Amino acid sequence: MERVPDNSIYSLQLNGSGGMQPLPAGTPLPTSTPAWVHLDYGKPQTELWLQQTGLLNEAAREALLGQSSRPKLVRQGDNLLLILRGINHNQQDRPEEMVALRIFISPQLILSSRRRPLLSEKDVYEQLATGDGPLNPGDWLVDICDALTDRAGEFVETLHDQILELEEAVLENEMPATGQLGRIRKQLIMIRRYLSPQRDLVARLASEKIGWLNDDDRRRLQDIADRLRRWLDDLDAGVARTAVLADEVNNIMAEATNRRAYQMSIMALLFLPASFLTGLFGINLGGMPGANSPVAFWTFCLILTGLAVGLGLWLKLRRWW
């Protein structure tokens, strides 16, 4: 008889009314009511238990031990093997580095594993702790998919708000911080990379004819797939908006560069006559006009000033300045 492993994160028995009964380590896994055992596959003890248990075949062992990371669905009779992805909310990690949640689910047993904590798993556990959780494995599967989708939607909304703030700033000709726009665009693309196959996976789940999935479970799974489709549309729109923002930022930078170059050209044009005249009158040759006059220097300065003012007025009238 299989027993609860010593280092499980959660080990409990569904009581059929939305609550749970904890299963201490070492106690036999129940066969009359469904149980949920949640593991950290990064621990050596977990790997040893998964390798030795007779509850899993080789494919299930490899999946629960982290041999694959892409969203995946494999049906084995009345059993399901799934790999889902959730937003990474752990500190010092990037949210777009989504956490893989690996699940083996049968009519009487739910085995799940992950390497890094997920808020979605905690959401489902807290529902069970308050007596408002899933009644059976079908409800548990729907609830975990729902929690993963809700967390993903919250993050997509956060990215949407950040893009809105950037758009408002760019309209005010304020430049975003270095790398900010590129980071948001990368997050959009990476999140979409995992949510797109996960949407297909949930839609496929809604159409699977499995005994422990009832019509209400399939309807809720289809609703989740529709929500994922909307989030994907928002991600596509976000990618397009960041591309427009990048073009607008480049246009602002090019316009600022052109404006500075134009201002420098105008200044050079203003000083061009003065440079020519000072160069001409600076030659050391006999016969230079005003060489012996005490007011020649001030007269020359006055001529240069008048020339600069006249040239400035001419540029103003021609709307070059």
Side-chain angles (χ1 to χ4, degrees), residues 265-293:
S265 300
I266 293 298
M267 296 299 295
L269 182 61
L270 287 175
F271 285 98
L272 182 61
S275 299
F276 170 75
L277 291 177
T278 53
L280 177 65
F281 280 83
I283 59 177
N284 296 318
L285 296 176
M288 181 63 63
N292 298 318
S293 173

Side-chain angles (χ1 to χ4, degrees), residues 94 96-97 155 159 179-193 239 242:
R94 294 191 293 270
E96 68 273 14
E97 294 178 346
F155 184 64
L159 293 178
Q180 183 181 8
L181 185 57
R183 183 173 61 254
I184 292 176
R185 187 176 177 85
K186 178 183 177 183
Q187 290 175 333
L188 290 167
I189 293 172
M190 292 190 66
I191 294 296
R192 193 193 188 288
R193 177 190 174 206
V239 172
T242 53

Side-chain angles (χ1 to χ4, degrees), residues 196-263:
S196 181
Q198 191 150 305
R199 182 269 317 270
D200 298 335
L201 185 152
V202 175
R204 181 184 164 190
L205 266 177
S207 63
E208 286 286 347
K209 301 300 182 182
I210 301 177
W212 46 268
L213 274 178
N214 57 38
D215 291 338
D216 184 63
D217 293 333
R218 295 188 183 93
R219 179 190 58 79
R220 291 175 61 195
L221 286 170
Q222 188 58 54
D223 291 341
I224 293 170
D226 293 338
R227 282 160 52 203
L228 281 170
R229 187 176 295 109
R230 289 194 294 271
W231 295 134
L232 287 170
D233 291 341
D234 288 346
L235 289 171
D236 290 336
V239 172
R241 289 165 63 190
T242 53
V244 173
L245 271 175
D247 291 340
E248 188 63 26
V249 169
N250 290 333
N251 291 336
I252 292 174
M253 295 178 63
E255 182 181 353
T257 302
N258 292 336
R259 188 184 304 114
R260 293 187 183 97
Y262 182 74
Q263 291 172 349

Side-chain angles (χ1 to χ4, degrees), residues 85-86 162 186 203 290:
R85 305 286 290 200
Q162 293 178 11
K186 178 183 177 183

Side-chain angles (χ1 to χ4, degrees), residues 58-103:
E58 191 60 31
R61 286 192 182 91
E62 290 181 358
L64 291 175
L65 286 171
Q67 300 301 317
S68 177
S69 61
R70 297 282 291 175
K72 180 179 180 181
L73 169 61
V74 178
R75 181 176 178 179
Q76 301 171 341
D78 277 343
N79 302 334
L80 284 181
L81 180 62
L82 300 102
I83 299 176
L84 302 173
R85 305 286 290 200
I87 300 297
N88 188 352
H89 290 95
N90 297 295
Q91 292 183 354
Q92 299 180 349
D93 286 335
R94 294 191 293 270
E96 68 273 14
E97 294 178 346
M98 300 184 73
V99 179
L101 178 64
R102 307 165 190 281
I103 304 168

Side-chain angles (χ1 to χ4, degrees), residues 1-46:
M1 179 177 293
E2 294 292 341
R3 298 181 178 274
V4 177
D6 294 335
N7 60 330
S8 59
I9 302 170
Y10 305 132
S11 55
L12 54 93
Q13 184 177 358
L14 305 182
N15 63 14
S17 59
M20 66 174 186
Q21 179 67 36
L23 293 174
T27 59
L29 287 172
T31 57
S32 58
T33 55
W36 175 26
V37 178
H38 188 45
L39 305 169
D40 180 354
Y41 68 83
K43 295 182 178 180
Q45 304 95 318
T46 299

